C-alpha cells in the first residue's frame, strides 16, 4: 500500500512538472514567434505595387481629420479603437499627385464610408477632386449608396454610376433638437441657467420647450451659406442648376440606404447621376475602358489602392535652420491628454513648449478645429502661447471647421488669424447651468439637517438655490464672460463695448467673422504657413507638424497596424464598459456642474 501511494505521488509530481514544462515551452514558443513577427514587420520593406497603367482607387474608410491621433489606451476606448484616420493634408497631397501623374489613367472614388471633421473639411476635399477632374484626369465614381457628404465628393467626378438597387440621397444640413423643459418639470428637476450671452444656446434644450428666435436666426445664418456652397459644388460638378439639387433634397429622401428606386430614376432623369451599373457590369466596363489585369487571379482591371499609391509619392523633406511649427487643437478642449475628439490641454501645452524651446522655431501656427470646452483647459493653452510670444515667436491661428467659444479663447494670443469661408466661429459667451433636485427630495420625503461652519457649507444639488447663492452663481458666469470679452478686445484691438456687440454667444460664418473683425483674413492652413514665412522673411523653411508623441512600444503597435493592416478588435465586454464609462461621465457632469466656453450647437452633422 505504501509503495502504491508513493508511486502515485511520484506520478502526480511528474505530471505537475511536465505540465509546467509544456506550459513554459508553449509560452516561450508563442513569445518567440510574436517577436519574430514584430521584427519581420519592422525590418521588412512593404511591397511597392506597380502603378503604371493602374486605376487609382481612393476609397477612405474612416475619418478625415487635421491631425491623426493614436489612442494610447485603445483597449479601453471601444468607440474608436479600429477607426481609421486620414489626415487632410495627406489626402490632398495624394489627390494632387494623381493629377500630375501620367502613369495613372484614371481615378476611381468612393467616399461612402468616409466621415469628415466638419463641413469645411468636406468642401475642401470636394474642391480638390474638382481640380483633379479639371486637370484632365478621368475621375469615375461608383457607389451602391450615396449620402450628402459622399454625393458631394462623387458629384466632382467625370462620370457617376450607382448600383441599380442602391440609394442616392442628399438630405442637406441641420436637424431637430430634443427640448426637455417639460421632462425636467415632470421629473421635478429645477434647471437654473446662468449662461452669459443672449445667443449662447448650448443649454436651451434643458431650459426651453422650443428653439429660441435668436438660435433659429443664427443657425440659419450658419447653415444656409454652407449648404449653398455645397449645392453649388454639386450642381457645378454635374452641369445642372442648384435648384435641381434642392428639389432632390426636398422630395427624395433615402432613409433606408438601398432600393431607393424612385430616387435613382429622378437622379438619372435630371443628370444627378449618369446611370446605373451592377457590380459585374461596372467591372466589365472598367476592363473595357482600361484593359485586363494580366497578373490578377480573377478577371478585373488593373488598379492600385490609395494606400499602395502613397508609397510612390515623393515626399521631399526640406531641411532648414528655419522651422514653422504647426500644432493642432482638434475636438473638445479639456484637461488631460490628446485623444480622438479631445484637444487635451496637458498634451497641447507640452507641444507648444517643445516648439518654442527649439532654437530654429520662427513661428507657431495653431490649427483650431474645436467648438470649445473647459475654461481652465482653455486658459492653460492660452498661457503657453503667451509664453511662446515672450520668446519673440509669432503665433498664427488657422481656423478649420470650428473655432468657437473656447476655440476663440485660445486664439486670442495670435498675431494674425485666418479662417476658412465656411468656418464656424464666435460664440463668445459662457455656458453654465445647474440642475437642483429639491422637489424630487421633497416628493420622496427626505429632509436635510445638520451642523455647518459656513453659510453654504452643506449645500448640494439636492437643495434649493437661495437668493445669496443665486447671486454667487450669476457673478461666476458674469466674471468669466467679462474676462473673455477683455481678452478678445485686447487681441482684436477693439474696445470691450465693440466686442460685446458681436459677442453675446453669437456664432458667425467665416466670411462674416472677417467682415466684423473677429478674424484677419480668409484662407486655409497653406495660406497661414505662407503668411508665417513672409512675416519672418524666410527664404527657406521646414514645416513641422506636432502630434501625439508615442512610446517605442506604441510605435511598434502602430507600425504593426499599418504594415500588416491589423485591425484591433475589441471584445464586446470592453464595448459595454465603454458605454458605462460614458454614462458615468454624464452623471458626473450633473453632480459637478461647470461653467464652459463651449458651443456644441455649432456642430454641423453630415450624413
Amino acid at each position: 500500500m505504501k509503495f502504491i501511494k508513493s508511486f502515485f505521488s511520484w506520478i502526480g509530481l511528474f505530471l505537475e512538472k511536465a505540465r509546467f514544462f509544456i506550459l513554459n515551452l508553449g509560452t516561450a514558443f508563442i513569445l518567440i514567434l510574436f517577436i519574430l513577427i514584430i521584427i519581420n514587420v519592422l525590418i521588412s520593406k512593404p511591397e511597392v505595387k506597380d502603378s503604371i497603367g493602374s486605376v487609382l482607387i481612393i476609397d477612405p474608410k474612416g475619418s478625415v481629420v487635421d491631425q491623426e491621433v493614436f489612442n494610447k489606451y485603445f483597449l479601453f476606448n471601444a468607440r474608436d479603437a479600429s477607426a481609421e484616420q486620414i489626415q487632410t493634408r495627406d489626402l490632398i497631397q495624394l489627390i494632387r499627385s494623381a493629377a500630375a501623374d501620367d502613369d495613372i489613367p484614371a481615378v476611381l472614388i468612393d467616399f461612402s464610408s468616409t466621415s469628415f471633421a466638419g463641413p469645411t473639411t468636406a468642401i475642401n476635399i470636394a474642391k480638390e477632386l474638382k481640380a483633379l477632374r479639371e486637370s484632365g484626369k478621368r475621375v469615375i465614381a461608383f457607389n451602391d449608396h450615396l449620402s450628402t457628404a459622399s454625393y458631394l465628393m462623387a458629384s466632382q467626378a467625370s462620370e457617376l454610376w450607382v448600383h441599380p438597387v442602391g440609394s442616392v440621397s442628399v438630405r442637406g444640413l441641420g436637424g431637430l433638437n430634443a427640448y426637455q423643459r417639460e421632462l425636467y418639470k415632470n421629473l421635478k428637476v429645477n434647471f437654473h441657467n446662468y449662461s452669459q450671452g443672449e445667443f449662447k444656446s448650448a443649454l436651451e434644450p434643458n431650459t426651453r420647450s422650443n428653439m429660441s428666435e435668436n438660435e433659429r436666426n443664427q443657425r440659419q445664418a450658419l447653415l444656409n451659406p454652407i449648404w449653398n456652397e455645397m449645392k453649388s459644388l454639386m450642381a457645378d460638378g454635374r452641369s445642372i442648376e442648384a435648384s435641381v439639387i434642392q428639389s432632390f433634397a426636398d422630395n427624395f429622401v433615402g432613409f433606408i440606404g438601398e432600393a431607393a428606386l424612385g430616387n435613382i430614376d429622378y437622379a438619372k432623369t435630371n443628370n444627378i447621376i449618369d446611370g446605373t451599373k451592377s457590380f459585374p457590369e461596372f467591372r466589365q466596363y472598367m476592363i473595357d475602358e482600361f484593359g485586363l489585369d494580366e497578373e490578377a487571379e480573377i478577371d478585373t482591371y488593373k488598379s492600385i489602392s490609395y494606400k499602395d499609391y502613397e508609397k510612390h509619392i515623393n515626399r521631399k523633406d526640406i531641411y532648414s535652420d528655419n522651422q514653422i511649427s504647426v500644432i493642432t487643437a482638434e475636438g473638445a478642449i479639456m484637461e488631460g491628454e490628446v485623444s480622438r475628439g479631445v484637444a487635451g490641454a496637458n498634451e497641447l501645452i507640452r507641444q507648444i513648449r517643445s516648439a518654442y524651446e527649439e532654437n530654429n522655431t520662427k513661428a507657431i501656427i495653431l490649427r483650431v478645429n474645436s467648438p470649445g470646452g473647459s475654461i481652465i483647459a482653455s486658459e492653460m493653452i492660452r498661457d503657453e502661447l503667451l509664453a511662446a510670444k515672450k520668446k519673440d515667436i509669432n503665433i498664427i491661428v488657422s481656423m478649420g471647421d470650428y473655432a468657437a467659444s473656447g476655440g476663440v479663447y485660445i486664439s486670442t494670443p495670435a498675431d494674425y488669424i485666418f479662417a476658412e469661408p465656411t468656418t464656424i466661429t464666435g460664440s463668445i459667451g459662457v455656458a453654465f447651468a445647474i440642475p437642483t433636485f429639491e422637489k424630487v427630495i421633497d416628493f420622496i420625503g427626505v429632509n436635510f439637517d445638520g451642523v455647518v461652519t459656513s453659510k453654504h457649507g452643506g449645500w448640494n444639488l439636492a437643495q434649493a438655490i437661495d437668493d445669496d447663492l443665486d447671486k454667487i452663481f450669476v457673478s461666476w458666469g458674469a466674471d468669466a464672460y467679462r474676462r473673455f470679452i477683455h481678452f478678445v478686445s485686447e487681441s482684436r484691438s477693439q474696445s470691450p463695448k465693440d466686442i460685446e456687440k458681436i459677442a453675446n454667444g453669437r456664432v458667425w460664418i467665416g466670411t462674416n467673422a472677417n467682415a466684423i473683425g473677429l478674424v484677419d483674413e480668409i484662407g486655409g492652413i497653406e495660406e497661414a504657413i505662407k503668411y508665417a514665412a513672409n512675416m519672418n522673411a524666410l527664404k527657406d523653411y521646414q514645416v513641422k507638424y506636432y502630434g501625439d508623441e508615442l512610446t517605442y512600444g506604441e510605435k511598434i503597435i502602430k507600425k504593426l497596424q499599418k504594415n500588416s493592416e491589423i485591425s484591433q478588435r475589441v471584445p464586446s465586454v470592453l464595448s459595454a464598459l465603454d458605454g458605462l464609462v460614458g454614462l458615468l461621465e454624464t452623471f458626473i457632469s450633473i453632480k459637478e456642474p461647470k461653467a464652459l466656453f463651449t458651443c456644441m450647437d455649432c456642430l454641423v452633422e453630415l450624413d
Side-chain angles (χ1 to χ4, degrees):
M1 180 66 73
K2 191 174 181 180
F3 170 76
I4 295 173
K5 190 175 181 180
S6 176
F7 175 76
F8 280 108
S9 177
W10 180 84
I11 289 293
L13 184 63
F14 173 78
L15 291 175
E16 186 178 352
K17 294 288 186 182
R19 181 171 63 85
F20 275 113
F21 175 76
I22 293 170
L23 182 63
N24 290 337
L25 184 64
T27 302
F29 176 76
I30 293 171
L31 185 60
I32 292 170
L33 182 63
F34 184 66
I35 291 172
L36 289 174
I37 292 172
I38 291 177
I39 292 173
N40 181 60
V41 169
L42 294 179
I43 66 173
S44 63
K45 293 183 178 180
E47 181 185 354
V48 179
K49 188 176 180 180
D50 181 20
S51 65
I52 298 175
S54 297
V55 175
L56 171 60
I57 300 176
I58 302 179
D59 58 344
K61 293 175 176 61
S63 300
V64 180
V65 296
D66 278 334
Q67 180 64 48
E68 180 185 14
V69 174
F70 181 70
N71 194 337
K72 300 176 182 179
Y73 310 107
F74 63 88
L75 285 177
F76 299 98
N77 195 335
R79 281 172 290 190
D80 54 26
S82 60
E84 185 181 347
Q85 300 167 84
I86 306 98
Q87 293 182 149
T88 306
R89 61 181 179 271
D90 293 337
L91 183 54
I92 288 174
Q93 184 181 28
L94 183 136
I95 294 170
R96 291 178 180 176
S97 296
D101 191 344
D102 293 334
D103 291 337
I104 299 293
V107 177
L108 174 63
I109 62 172
D110 178 0
F111 283 81
S112 57
S113 297
T114 313
S115 62
F116 298 89
T120 295
T121 298
I123 288 169
N124 287 342
I125 297 302
K127 287 180 177 178
E128 292 294 332
L129 293 173
K130 177 183 179 182
L132 175 65
R133 182 193 72 222
E134 291 177 344
S135 72
K137 188 73 64 179
R138 190 171 174 184
V139 183
I140 303 167
F142 176 67
N143 302 78
D144 56 6
H145 66 280
L146 287 167
S147 61
T148 303
S150 54
Y151 180 75
L152 175 63
M153 305 302 143
S155 63
Q156 306 312 305
S158 317
E159 51 190 277
L160 199 173
W161 306 96
V162 178
H163 193 278
V165 291
S167 174
V168 185
S169 172
V170 179
R171 295 176 62 178
L173 306 177
L176 303 179
N177 291 330
Y179 289 84
Q180 302 161 147
R181 186 180 72 171
E182 301 306 318
L183 171 64
Y184 286 113
K185 183 178 178 181
N186 292 336
L187 294 174
K188 301 183 183 298
V189 176
N190 281 341
F191 227 100
H192 309 267
N193 193 356
Y194 297 102
S195 297
Q196 299 289 311
E198 296 176 6
F199 287 84
K200 199 69 176 178
S201 56
L203 298 167
E204 269 195 12
N206 297 326
T207 58
R208 291 182 57 90
S209 300
N210 57 5
M211 183 180 281
S212 67
E213 281 305 305
N214 281 346
E215 170 66 352
R216 190 178 304 279
N217 290 336
Q218 74 173 351
R219 290 294 287 176
Q220 290 173 342
L222 290 178
L223 295 179
N224 288 339
I226 296 172
W227 175 232
N228 287 337
E229 176 70 9
M230 293 175 74
K231 278 195 304 184
S232 176
L233 280 168
M234 293 174 186
D236 183 61
R238 298 300 304 165
S239 300
I240 56 179
E241 297 295 325
S243 58
V244 176
I245 300 293
Q246 185 65 55
S247 176
F248 186 58
D250 290 337
N251 301 299
F252 294 87
V253 179
F255 286 109
I256 298 175
E258 62 181 1
L261 304 183
N263 289 29
I264 291 176
D265 287 341
Y266 181 89
K268 284 194 293 186
T269 303
N270 292 275
N271 200 37
I272 293 172
I273 64 175
D274 287 295
T276 60
K277 292 184 185 294
S278 67
F279 289 109
E281 288 172 341
F282 183 74
R283 183 172 59 250
Q284 188 57 52
Y285 173 73
M286 295 295 284
I287 292 172
D288 293 341
E289 293 293 308
F290 303 104
L292 187 68
D293 185 352
E294 301 293 345
E295 298 179 1
E297 295 179 358
I298 58 175
D299 286 352
T300 187
Y301 54 97
K302 190 175 182 181
S303 64
I304 184 170
S305 72
Y306 76 92
K307 290 183 179 180
D308 283 332
Y309 184 69
E310 282 181 328
K311 299 164 190 172
H312 290 272
I313 297 174
N314 184 19
R315 291 185 170 87
K316 294 182 179 178
D317 293 325
I318 299 173
Y319 297 97
S320 170
D321 291 332
N322 304 311
Q323 178 174 294
I324 296 175
S325 301
V326 180
I327 295 168
T328 304
E330 188 161 27
I333 299 171
M334 298 172 63
E335 293 181 72
E337 303 304 309
V338 169
S339 61
R340 298 186 193 183
V342 176
N346 297 56
E347 175 61 30
L348 287 175
I349 62 176
R350 283 197 293 270
Q351 292 178 12
I352 296 167
R353 190 186 310 133
S354 177
Y356 72 64
E357 286 179 352
E358 290 192 35
N359 293 329
N360 60 346
T361 298
K362 306 303 179 185
I364 293 175
I365 295 176
L366 182 67
R367 175 67 172 180
V368 182
N369 203 348
S370 170
S374 161
I375 293 178
I376 184 64
S378 300
E379 283 270 356
M380 289 165 63
I381 296 168
R382 182 180 185 277
D383 288 345
E384 208 61 46
L385 290 170
L386 290 173
K389 292 190 72 171
K390 288 180 181 178
K391 290 183 171 285
D392 296 325
I393 294 175
N394 298 123
I395 307 295
I396 313 299
V397 164
S398 170
M399 295 180 169
D401 295 281
Y402 315 101
S405 204
V408 173
Y409 200 90
I410 64 174
S411 300
T412 53
D415 297 296
Y416 205 77
I417 299 177
F418 285 87
E420 312 249 10
T422 49
T423 292
I424 296 173
T425 187
S427 193
I428 301 167
V430 181
F432 180 27
I434 299 177
T436 58
F437 303 89
E438 67 273 14
K439 291 183 179 180
V440 178
I441 297 301
D442 182 61
F443 177 76
I444 63 176
V446 176
N447 294 313
F448 289 92
D449 199 0
V451 177
V452 294
T453 59
S454 62
K455 187 173 182 179
H456 299 293
W459 184 84
N460 58 44
L461 298 181
Q463 301 169 50
I465 296 176
D466 62 23
D467 290 342
D468 290 339
L469 205 52
D470 183 72
K471 290 176 183 177
I472 291 172
F473 291 144
V474 168
S475 69
W476 279 3
D479 290 344
Y481 184 45
R482 280 194 294 270
R483 186 175 176 85
F484 199 164
I485 292 287
H486 169 71
F487 285 153
V488 176
S489 66
E490 190 178 60
S491 170
R492 306 315 299 160
S493 300
Q494 297 184 38
S495 70
K497 287 186 178 179
D498 288 336
I499 295 299
E500 282 181 28
K501 294 176 184 177
I502 59 175
N504 274 311
R506 183 163 187 171
V507 288
W508 304 89
I509 202 79
T511 49
N512 290 340
N514 180 230
I516 61 176
L518 268 181
V519 304
D520 295 295
E521 190 173 333
I522 296 299
I525 185 71
E526 292 179 347
E527 286 74 22
I529 292 171
K530 290 175 184 176
Y531 183 87
N534 292 334
M535 191 178 193
N536 290 275
L538 302 180
K539 293 182 179 179
D540 63 89
Y541 58 90
Q542 62 181 9
V543 179
K544 180 176 179 179
Y545 290 89
Y546 280 75
D548 196 20
E549 292 298 321
L550 306 179
T551 66
Y552 186 71
E554 289 158 351
K555 288 177 180 177
I556 290 176
I557 294 173
K558 186 175 180 180
K559 194 160 186 178
L560 274 169
Q561 283 182 292
K562 187 172 182 179
N563 289 1
S564 300
E565 297 185 355
I566 295 173
S567 175
Q568 296 168 5
R569 298 294 179 183
V570 182
S572 57
V573 65
L574 291 181
S575 299
L577 288 174
D578 192 46
L580 290 174
V581 169
L583 185 62
L584 179 61
E585 289 172 350
T586 302
F587 283 126
I588 290 172
S589 68
I590 292 176
K591 183 181 177 183
E592 302 173 0
K594 295 181 179 179
L596 298 170
F597 291 148
T598 189
C599 182
M600 296 310 295
D601 51 323
C602 296
L603 301 176
V604 177
E605 295 290 336
L606 295 174
D607 73 311

